[in-house]
């Protein structure tokens, strides 16, 4: 199983999640606080979202960002670590220092 990022697979998982939730691309975009064409740009035009924006979209849609991005889920604890890691450079550096020792 590959753990690398595959943009097309991410788009496929995101589109499937929208279908499952019966949400339009427009509604998903607006619900997450983006322009009405944001998700359309990702799914139909091949734009690559930033990790913070994709995480925000997934949070709004109650989707696992790890699943959408990599195709596998993480525990709630690991998800919390990843969020802290992403959102706070000082905490990220402290955590990296701790686990490297």
């Amino acid at each position: 199983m590959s753990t690398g990022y595959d943009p097309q697979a991410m788009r496929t998982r995101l589109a499937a999640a929208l279908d499952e939730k019966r949400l339009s691309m427009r509604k998903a975009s607006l619900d997450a606080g983006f322009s009405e064409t944001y998700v359309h740009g990702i799914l139909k035009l091949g734009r690559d979202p930033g990790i913070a924006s994709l995480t925000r979209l997934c949070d709004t849609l109650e989707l696992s960002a790890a699943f959408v991005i990599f195709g596998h889920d993480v525990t709630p604890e690991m998800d919390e670590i990843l969020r802290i890691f992403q959102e706070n450079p000082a905490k990220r550096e402290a955590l990296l220092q701790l686990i490297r020792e």
Side-chain angles (χ1 to χ4, degrees):
M1 176 174 75
S2 173
T3 57
Y5 173 66
D6 178 349
Q8 190 53 46
M10 177 274 298
R11 288 182 186 92
T12 300
R13 288 187 288 272
L14 181 57
L18 291 179
D19 286 345
E20 183 178 308
K21 291 180 176 284
R22 299 178 193 261
L23 285 173
S24 69
M25 290 181 278
R26 181 181 185 279
K27 175 137 176 58
S29 297
L30 294 173
D31 285 355
F34 297 113
S35 71
E36 62 185 33
T37 60
Y38 180 76
V39 174
H40 178 269
I42 296 168
L43 297 181
K44 301 298 183 185
L45 302 178
R47 293 188 181 130
D48 285 321
I51 189 68
S53 296
L54 186 57
T55 299
R56 184 167 119 197
L57 178 63
C58 289
D59 286 348
T60 300
L61 301 175
E62 298 179 342
L63 300 173
S64 163
F67 177 75
V68 171
I69 296 168
F70 296 112
H72 55 86
D73 223 338
V74 296
T75 65
E77 293 83 7
M78 186 55 125
D79 190 50
E80 181 180 7
I81 290 168
L82 292 172
R83 286 180 198 286
I84 292 168
F85 211 75
Q86 170 201 342
E87 295 169 356
N88 190 313
K91 287 183 180 180
R92 177 175 50 240
E93 190 55 39
L95 182 59
L96 283 171
Q97 228 174 10
L98 178 68
I99 61 177
R100 286 178 179 153
E101 294 177 1

